[in-house]
Amino acid sequence: MSAQTGSAGVAGKLLGAWASLANRPGGKWLFNRMLGRMIPYTGALGAKVLLLERGHARVELTERRGIRNHLGSVHAAALTNLGELASGLAMMTGSPADVRGIPIRLTTEFIKKARGVLVAESTATFPHVTADVEHETAAEIRDESGVVVARVTALWRLSPIPPA
Protein backbone atom coordinates (compact mmCIF):
# COMPACT_ATOMS: atom_id res chain seq x y z
CA MET A 1 0.00 0.00 0.00
CA SER A 2 3.05 2.22 -0.16
CA ALA A 3 2.02 4.28 -3.14
CA GLN A 4 0.75 7.81 -2.97
CA THR A 5 -3.01 7.75 -2.88
CA GLY A 6 -5.73 9.99 -4.14
CA SER A 7 -8.21 8.50 -1.74
CA ALA A 8 -11.53 8.90 -3.47
CA GLY A 9 -10.71 6.75 -6.49
CA VAL A 10 -8.71 4.06 -4.72
CA ALA A 11 -11.09 3.81 -1.75
CA GLY A 12 -14.10 3.56 -4.01
CA LYS A 13 -12.54 0.85 -6.14
CA LEU A 14 -11.37 -1.21 -3.17
CA LEU A 15 -14.58 -0.89 -1.20
CA GLY A 16 -16.72 -1.44 -4.31
CA ALA A 17 -14.83 -4.59 -5.27
CA TRP A 18 -15.00 -5.88 -1.68
CA ALA A 19 -18.73 -5.16 -1.42
CA SER A 20 -19.51 -6.94 -4.67
CA LEU A 21 -17.26 -9.97 -4.05
CA ALA A 22 -16.89 -10.67 -0.31
CA ASN A 23 -20.19 -12.49 0.19
CA ARG A 24 -20.10 -14.53 -3.02
CA PRO A 25 -18.63 -18.01 -3.31
CA GLY A 26 -14.94 -17.55 -4.08
CA GLY A 27 -15.34 -13.79 -3.87
CA LYS A 28 -12.80 -13.15 -1.13
CA TRP A 29 -10.31 -15.33 -2.97
CA LEU A 30 -10.89 -13.30 -6.15
CA PHE A 31 -10.61 -9.99 -4.29
CA ASN A 32 -7.30 -11.06 -2.76
CA ARG A 33 -5.98 -12.16 -6.17
CA MET A 34 -6.95 -8.76 -7.62
CA LEU A 35 -5.29 -6.94 -4.71
CA GLY A 36 -2.13 -9.02 -5.22
CA ARG A 37 -2.04 -8.06 -8.88
CA MET A 38 -2.54 -4.37 -8.03
CA ILE A 39 0.27 -4.50 -5.44
CA PRO A 40 2.67 -7.30 -6.49
CA TYR A 41 4.91 -7.18 -3.40
CA THR A 42 1.89 -7.49 -1.13
CA GLY A 43 0.57 -10.30 -3.32
CA ALA A 44 3.83 -12.21 -2.82
CA LEU A 45 3.27 -12.13 0.95
CA GLY A 46 0.17 -14.29 0.56
CA ALA A 47 -1.98 -12.41 3.08
CA LYS A 48 -5.77 -12.53 2.79
CA VAL A 49 -8.17 -9.67 3.48
CA LEU A 50 -10.84 -10.94 5.88
CA LEU A 51 -12.71 -7.68 6.43
CA LEU A 52 -12.66 -4.33 4.69
CA GLU A 53 -14.80 -1.40 5.73
CA ARG A 54 -14.31 2.34 5.46
CA GLY A 55 -11.29 3.00 7.71
CA HIS A 56 -11.00 -0.56 9.01
CA ALA A 57 -9.19 -3.66 7.76
CA ARG A 58 -8.49 -7.16 9.05
CA VAL A 59 -5.89 -9.24 7.20
CA GLU A 60 -4.73 -12.82 7.78
CA LEU A 61 -1.39 -14.49 7.11
CA THR A 62 -0.74 -18.20 7.55
CA GLU A 63 2.80 -19.18 8.47
CA ARG A 64 4.64 -21.14 5.80
CA ARG A 65 8.26 -21.96 5.04
CA GLY A 66 8.74 -19.03 2.65
CA ILE A 67 8.13 -16.41 5.35
CA ARG A 68 9.99 -18.05 8.24
CA ASN A 69 13.27 -16.86 9.69
CA HIS A 70 16.17 -18.97 10.98
CA LEU A 71 14.43 -19.21 14.39
CA GLY A 72 11.42 -21.04 12.98
CA SER A 73 9.00 -18.14 13.39
CA VAL A 74 7.54 -15.59 10.96
CA HIS A 75 10.22 -13.24 9.62
CA ALA A 76 10.28 -9.62 10.83
CA ALA A 77 9.85 -8.28 7.29
CA ALA A 78 6.73 -10.42 6.74
CA LEU A 79 5.23 -9.14 9.99
CA THR A 80 6.01 -5.55 9.03
CA ASN A 81 4.48 -6.07 5.58
CA LEU A 82 1.35 -7.61 7.10
CA GLY A 83 0.89 -4.67 9.48
CA GLU A 84 1.57 -2.18 6.71
CA LEU A 85 -1.05 -3.86 4.53
CA ALA A 86 -3.72 -3.69 7.25
CA SER A 87 -2.95 -0.09 8.21
CA GLY A 88 -2.62 0.98 4.59
CA LEU A 89 -5.99 -0.51 3.65
CA ALA A 90 -7.58 1.21 6.65
CA MET A 91 -6.02 4.56 5.70
CA MET A 92 -6.80 4.29 2.02
CA THR A 93 -10.42 3.29 2.48
CA GLY A 94 -11.14 5.73 5.27
CA SER A 95 -9.48 8.96 4.26
CA PRO A 96 -11.64 11.84 3.06
CA ALA A 97 -12.06 12.19 -0.71
CA ASP A 98 -10.12 15.47 -0.77
CA VAL A 99 -7.04 14.08 0.99
CA ARG A 100 -4.09 12.10 -0.36
CA GLY A 101 -1.40 10.38 1.62
CA ILE A 102 1.84 8.50 1.46
CA PRO A 103 3.54 6.52 4.22
CA ILE A 104 6.88 8.03 5.18
CA ARG A 105 7.95 5.75 8.06
CA LEU A 106 7.12 2.28 9.36
CA THR A 107 7.96 1.18 12.88
CA THR A 108 7.49 -2.38 14.09
CA GLU A 109 7.48 -3.47 17.71
CA PHE A 110 8.15 -7.21 17.94
CA ILE A 111 6.56 -8.52 21.13
CA LYS A 112 6.61 -12.30 20.79
CA LYS A 113 7.70 -14.90 18.23
CA ALA A 114 4.97 -15.15 15.63
CA ARG A 115 3.78 -18.56 14.53
CA GLY A 116 0.72 -20.13 12.94
CA VAL A 117 -2.19 -18.08 11.63
CA LEU A 118 -1.72 -14.36 12.25
CA VAL A 119 -4.33 -11.62 12.01
CA ALA A 120 -3.49 -7.93 11.61
CA GLU A 121 -6.19 -5.38 12.32
CA SER A 122 -6.23 -1.62 11.92
CA THR A 123 -8.74 1.17 12.34
CA ALA A 124 -7.71 4.54 10.97
CA THR A 125 -8.72 7.93 12.29
CA PHE A 126 -8.25 11.17 10.39
CA PRO A 127 -7.38 14.72 11.33
CA HIS A 128 -8.89 17.67 9.52
CA VAL A 129 -6.40 18.23 6.68
CA THR A 130 -6.01 21.77 5.33
CA ALA A 131 -2.22 21.62 4.80
CA ASP A 132 0.44 18.92 4.88
CA VAL A 133 0.25 17.02 8.15
CA GLU A 134 1.82 13.86 9.55
CA HIS A 135 -0.54 11.29 11.03
CA GLU A 136 0.02 7.82 12.51
CA THR A 137 -2.07 4.73 12.11
CA ALA A 138 -1.28 1.37 13.66
CA ALA A 139 -2.04 -2.30 13.21
CA GLU A 140 -1.90 -4.99 15.87
CA ILE A 141 -0.92 -8.49 14.82
CA ARG A 142 -2.30 -11.35 16.91
CA ASP A 143 -1.65 -15.07 16.85
CA GLU A 144 -4.32 -17.80 16.94
CA SER A 145 -4.69 -17.50 20.72
CA GLY A 146 -5.35 -13.75 20.43
CA VAL A 147 -1.98 -12.70 21.86
CA VAL A 148 -0.42 -9.59 20.30
CA VAL A 149 2.86 -10.62 18.64
CA ALA A 150 3.69 -7.30 16.92
CA ARG A 151 2.49 -3.74 16.42
CA VAL A 152 3.20 -1.86 13.21
CA THR A 153 2.85 1.92 13.15
CA ALA A 154 2.83 3.81 9.88
CA LEU A 155 3.50 7.53 9.77
CA TRP A 156 1.64 9.08 6.84
CA ARG A 157 2.08 12.47 5.23
CA LEU A 158 -1.41 13.67 4.41
CA SER A 159 -2.17 16.66 2.22
CA PRO A 160 -5.21 18.19 0.59
CA ILE A 161 -5.70 17.31 -3.07
CA PRO A 162 -5.35 20.54 -5.06
CA PRO A 163 -8.43 21.53 -7.07
CA ALA A 164 -8.28 20.47 -10.72
Side-chain angles (χ1 to χ4, degrees), residues 34-66:
M34 289 173 20
L35 184 63
R37 288 187 57 79
M38 286 173 51
I39 313 160
Y41 181 77
T42 295
L45 180 65
K48 297 180 282 189
V49 176
L50 301 176
L51 174 72
L52 188 60
E53 301 169 335
R54 186 164 296 283
H56 185 139
R58 187 177 310 130
V59 183
E60 178 182 271
L61 179 65
T62 300
E63 179 186 2
R64 64 183 191 284
R65 185 180 189 288

Short mmCIF file of all heavy atoms in Angstrom, two decimals, residues 34-66:
data_model
loop_
_atom_site.label_atom_id
_atom_site.label_comp_id
_atom_site.label_asym_id
_atom_site.label_seq_id
_atom_site.Cartn_x
_atom_site.Cartn_y
_atom_site.Cartn_z
N MET A 34 -6.98 -10.08 -6.97
CA MET A 34 -6.95 -8.76 -7.62
C MET A 34 -6.04 -7.79 -6.86
O MET A 34 -5.26 -7.07 -7.46
CB MET A 34 -8.37 -8.19 -7.72
CG MET A 34 -9.24 -8.92 -8.71
SD MET A 34 -11.00 -8.44 -8.77
CE MET A 34 -11.08 -6.86 -8.04
N LEU A 35 -6.14 -7.82 -5.53
CA LEU A 35 -5.29 -6.94 -4.71
C LEU A 35 -3.81 -7.29 -4.92
O LEU A 35 -2.97 -6.40 -5.06
CB LEU A 35 -5.68 -7.08 -3.23
CG LEU A 35 -4.95 -6.15 -2.26
CD1 LEU A 35 -5.27 -4.69 -2.56
CD2 LEU A 35 -5.34 -6.50 -0.83
N GLY A 36 -3.51 -8.58 -4.97
CA GLY A 36 -2.13 -9.02 -5.22
C GLY A 36 -1.60 -8.60 -6.57
O GLY A 36 -0.41 -8.34 -6.72
N ARG A 37 -2.47 -8.52 -7.56
CA ARG A 37 -2.04 -8.06 -8.88
C ARG A 37 -1.85 -6.54 -8.89
O ARG A 37 -0.97 -6.03 -9.56
CB ARG A 37 -3.03 -8.49 -9.96
CG ARG A 37 -2.93 -10.00 -10.21
CD ARG A 37 -3.75 -10.49 -11.38
NE ARG A 37 -3.45 -9.88 -12.65
CZ ARG A 37 -2.41 -10.18 -13.43
NH1 ARG A 37 -1.56 -11.10 -13.04
NH2 ARG A 37 -2.25 -9.59 -14.59
N MET A 38 -2.68 -5.83 -8.12
CA MET A 38 -2.54 -4.37 -8.03
C MET A 38 -1.24 -3.99 -7.31
O MET A 38 -0.59 -3.01 -7.66
CB MET A 38 -3.71 -3.76 -7.25
CG MET A 38 -5.01 -3.71 -8.00
SD MET A 38 -6.40 -3.18 -6.94
CE MET A 38 -5.79 -1.70 -6.19
N ILE A 39 -0.89 -4.79 -6.28
CA ILE A 39 0.27 -4.50 -5.44
C ILE A 39 1.11 -5.78 -5.38
O ILE A 39 0.97 -6.57 -4.45
CB ILE A 39 -0.16 -4.06 -4.04
CG1 ILE A 39 -1.26 -3.00 -4.11
CG2 ILE A 39 1.03 -3.56 -3.24
CD1 ILE A 39 -2.05 -2.87 -2.85
N PRO A 40 1.96 -6.02 -6.38
CA PRO A 40 2.67 -7.30 -6.49
C PRO A 40 3.46 -7.72 -5.25
O PRO A 40 3.43 -8.89 -4.87
CB PRO A 40 3.59 -7.09 -7.69
CG PRO A 40 2.91 -6.05 -8.50
CD PRO A 40 2.26 -5.14 -7.51
N TYR A 41 4.13 -6.79 -4.59
CA TYR A 41 4.91 -7.18 -3.40
C TYR A 41 3.98 -7.71 -2.31
O TYR A 41 4.26 -8.72 -1.68
CB TYR A 41 5.73 -5.99 -2.88
CG TYR A 41 6.56 -6.37 -1.68
CD1 TYR A 41 7.73 -7.10 -1.84
CD2 TYR A 41 6.17 -6.01 -0.40
CE1 TYR A 41 8.50 -7.46 -0.75
CE2 TYR A 41 6.93 -6.37 0.70
CZ TYR A 41 8.09 -7.10 0.52
OH TYR A 41 8.84 -7.47 1.60
N THR A 42 2.88 -7.04 -2.11
CA THR A 42 1.89 -7.49 -1.13
C THR A 42 1.31 -8.83 -1.55
O THR A 42 1.08 -9.71 -0.72
CB THR A 42 0.79 -6.42 -0.97
OG1 THR A 42 1.40 -5.26 -0.40
CG2 THR A 42 -0.32 -6.89 -0.07
N GLY A 43 1.08 -9.02 -2.83
CA GLY A 43 0.57 -10.30 -3.32
C GLY A 43 1.53 -11.44 -3.03
O GLY A 43 1.11 -12.55 -2.71
N ALA A 44 2.83 -11.17 -3.08
CA ALA A 44 3.83 -12.21 -2.82
C ALA A 44 3.81 -12.65 -1.36
O ALA A 44 4.18 -13.78 -1.05
CB ALA A 44 5.22 -11.70 -3.18
N LEU A 45 3.35 -11.78 -0.46
CA LEU A 45 3.27 -12.13 0.95
C LEU A 45 2.26 -13.25 1.19
O LEU A 45 2.48 -14.13 2.02
CB LEU A 45 2.88 -10.89 1.78
CG LEU A 45 2.74 -11.08 3.28
CD1 LEU A 45 4.08 -11.44 3.90
CD2 LEU A 45 2.17 -9.82 3.91
N GLY A 46 1.18 -13.24 0.42
CA GLY A 46 0.17 -14.29 0.56
C GLY A 46 -0.87 -14.01 1.64
O GLY A 46 -1.58 -14.92 2.06
N ALA A 47 -0.97 -12.77 2.08
CA ALA A 47 -1.98 -12.41 3.08
C ALA A 47 -3.36 -12.36 2.44
O ALA A 47 -3.49 -12.15 1.24
CB ALA A 47 -1.64 -11.06 3.71
N LYS A 48 -4.39 -12.56 3.27
CA LYS A 48 -5.77 -12.53 2.79
C LYS A 48 -6.56 -11.48 3.56
O LYS A 48 -6.53 -11.46 4.80
CB LYS A 48 -6.45 -13.88 2.98
CG LYS A 48 -5.80 -15.00 2.21
CD LYS A 48 -6.53 -16.31 2.45
CE LYS A 48 -6.11 -16.85 3.80
NZ LYS A 48 -6.56 -18.20 4.08
N VAL A 49 -7.28 -10.63 2.84
CA VAL A 49 -8.17 -9.67 3.48
C VAL A 49 -9.39 -10.44 3.98
O VAL A 49 -10.04 -11.16 3.23
CB VAL A 49 -8.58 -8.55 2.50
CG1 VAL A 49 -9.58 -7.60 3.16
CG2 VAL A 49 -7.35 -7.79 2.01
N LEU A 50 -9.67 -10.30 5.28
CA LEU A 50 -10.84 -10.94 5.88
C LEU A 50 -12.01 -9.98 6.02
O LEU A 50 -13.17 -10.40 5.97
CB LEU A 50 -10.49 -11.47 7.28
CG LEU A 50 -9.37 -12.48 7.38
CD1 LEU A 50 -9.10 -12.81 8.85
CD2 LEU A 50 -9.72 -13.74 6.60
N LEU A 51 -11.69 -8.70 6.21
CA LEU A 51 -12.71 -7.68 6.43
C LEU A 51 -12.19 -6.36 5.91
O LEU A 51 -11.03 -6.00 6.16
CB LEU A 51 -13.01 -7.55 7.94
CG LEU A 51 -13.95 -6.42 8.35
CD1 LEU A 51 -15.38 -6.77 7.92
CD2 LEU A 51 -13.89 -6.19 9.84
N LEU A 52 -13.02 -5.64 5.19
CA LEU A 52 -12.66 -4.33 4.69
C LEU A 52 -13.88 -3.43 4.77
O LEU A 52 -14.90 -3.70 4.14
CB LEU A 52 -12.14 -4.42 3.25
CG LEU A 52 -11.54 -3.15 2.66
CD1 LEU A 52 -10.33 -2.68 3.48
CD2 LEU A 52 -11.14 -3.37 1.21
N GLU A 53 -13.76 -2.40 5.57
CA GLU A 53 -14.80 -1.40 5.73
C GLU A 53 -14.11 -0.04 5.65
O GLU A 53 -12.90 0.04 5.75
CB GLU A 53 -15.49 -1.52 7.09
CG GLU A 53 -16.12 -2.86 7.35
CD GLU A 53 -16.55 -3.04 8.80
OE1 GLU A 53 -15.98 -2.39 9.70
OE2 GLU A 53 -17.45 -3.86 9.01
N ARG A 54 -14.90 1.00 5.51
CA ARG A 54 -14.31 2.34 5.46
C ARG A 54 -13.50 2.58 6.73
O ARG A 54 -14.04 2.57 7.83
CB ARG A 54 -15.38 3.41 5.28
CG ARG A 54 -14.80 4.78 5.08
CD ARG A 54 -15.80 5.76 4.54
NE ARG A 54 -16.29 5.43 3.21
CZ ARG A 54 -15.63 5.61 2.07
NH1 ARG A 54 -14.40 6.09 2.10
NH2 ARG A 54 -16.16 5.30 0.92
N GLY A 55 -12.18 2.71 6.59
CA GLY A 55 -11.29 3.00 7.71
C GLY A 55 -10.95 1.83 8.60
O GLY A 55 -10.38 2.02 9.66
N HIS A 56 -11.26 0.62 8.16
CA HIS A 56 -11.00 -0.56 9.01
C HIS A 56 -10.65 -1.75 8.12
O HIS A 56 -11.33 -2.02 7.14
CB HIS A 56 -12.26 -0.88 9.82
CG HIS A 56 -12.08 -1.99 10.80
ND1 HIS A 56 -12.61 -1.93 12.07
CD2 HIS A 56 -11.45 -3.17 10.75
CE1 HIS A 56 -12.32 -3.04 12.73
NE2 HIS A 56 -11.61 -3.81 11.93
N ALA A 57 -9.60 -2.47 8.52
CA ALA A 57 -9.19 -3.66 7.76
C ALA A 57 -8.71 -4.74 8.72
O ALA A 57 -8.10 -4.46 9.75
CB ALA A 57 -8.08 -3.31 6.78
N ARG A 58 -9.01 -5.99 8.34
CA ARG A 58 -8.49 -7.16 9.05
C ARG A 58 -7.91 -8.09 7.99
O ARG A 58 -8.58 -8.44 7.02
CB ARG A 58 -9.61 -7.87 9.81
CG ARG A 58 -9.09 -9.00 10.68
CD ARG A 58 -10.18 -9.68 11.50
NE ARG A 58 -11.00 -8.73 12.22
CZ ARG A 58 -12.34 -8.72 12.19
NH1 ARG A 58 -13.01 -9.61 11.48
NH2 ARG A 58 -13.01 -7.83 12.88
N VAL A 59 -6.64 -8.47 8.19
CA VAL A 59 -5.89 -9.24 7.20
C VAL A 59 -5.25 -10.44 7.89
O VAL A 59 -4.74 -10.32 9.00
CB VAL A 59 -4.79 -8.34 6.55
CG1 VAL A 59 -4.05 -9.09 5.47
CG2 VAL A 59 -5.41 -7.06 5.99
N GLU A 60 -5.25 -11.58 7.21
CA GLU A 60 -4.73 -12.82 7.78
C GLU A 60 -3.53 -13.32 6.99
O GLU A 60 -3.48 -13.22 5.77
CB GLU A 60 -5.83 -13.89 7.75
CG GLU A 60 -5.42 -15.24 8.26
CD GLU A 60 -6.55 -16.24 8.15
OE1 GLU A 60 -7.35 -16.33 9.10
OE2 GLU A 60 -6.65 -16.90 7.09
N LEU A 61 -2.56 -13.88 7.72
CA LEU A 61 -1.39 -14.49 7.11
C LEU A 61 -1.15 -15.83 7.80
O LEU A 61 -1.07 -15.89 9.03
CB LEU A 61 -0.16 -13.59 7.27
CG LEU A 61 1.14 -14.13 6.69
CD1 LEU A 61 1.06 -14.25 5.17
CD2 LEU A 61 2.30 -13.22 7.10
N THR A 62 -1.03 -16.88 7.00
CA THR A 62 -0.74 -18.20 7.55
C THR A 62 0.75 -18.48 7.39
O THR A 62 1.30 -18.35 6.29
CB THR A 62 -1.58 -19.28 6.82
OG1 THR A 62 -2.96 -18.96 7.01
CG2 THR A 62 -1.30 -20.66 7.37
N GLU A 63 1.37 -18.86 8.49
CA GLU A 63 2.80 -19.18 8.47
C GLU A 63 3.07 -20.28 7.46
O GLU A 63 2.31 -21.24 7.34
CB GLU A 63 3.23 -19.65 9.87
CG GLU A 63 4.68 -20.04 9.96
CD GLU A 63 5.05 -20.64 11.29
OE1 GLU A 63 4.18 -20.80 12.17
OE2 GLU A 63 6.23 -20.97 11.45
N ARG A 64 4.16 -20.12 6.74
CA ARG A 64 4.64 -21.14 5.80
C ARG A 64 6.15 -20.98 5.69
O ARG A 64 6.71 -19.97 6.13
CB ARG A 64 3.95 -21.00 4.44
CG ARG A 64 4.25 -19.73 3.71
CD ARG A 64 3.50 -19.61 2.39
NE ARG A 64 3.98 -18.51 1.60
CZ ARG A 64 3.73 -17.24 1.83
NH1 ARG A 64 2.96 -16.89 2.83
NH2 ARG A 64 4.23 -16.29 1.05
N ARG A 65 6.80 -21.95 5.12
CA ARG A 65 8.26 -21.96 5.04
C ARG A 65 8.82 -20.68 4.42
O ARG A 65 9.81 -20.14 4.90
CB ARG A 65 8.72 -23.18 4.25
CG ARG A 65 10.23 -23.33 4.25
CD ARG A 65 10.69 -24.55 3.45
NE ARG A 65 12.10 -24.80 3.61
CZ ARG A 65 13.07 -24.07 3.09
NH1 ARG A 65 12.78 -23.02 2.35
NH2 ARG A 65 14.33 -24.37 3.29
N GLY A 66 8.21 -20.18 3.38
CA GLY A 66 8.74 -19.03 2.65
C GLY A 66 8.78 -17.73 3.42
O GLY A 66 9.43 -16.78 2.99
#
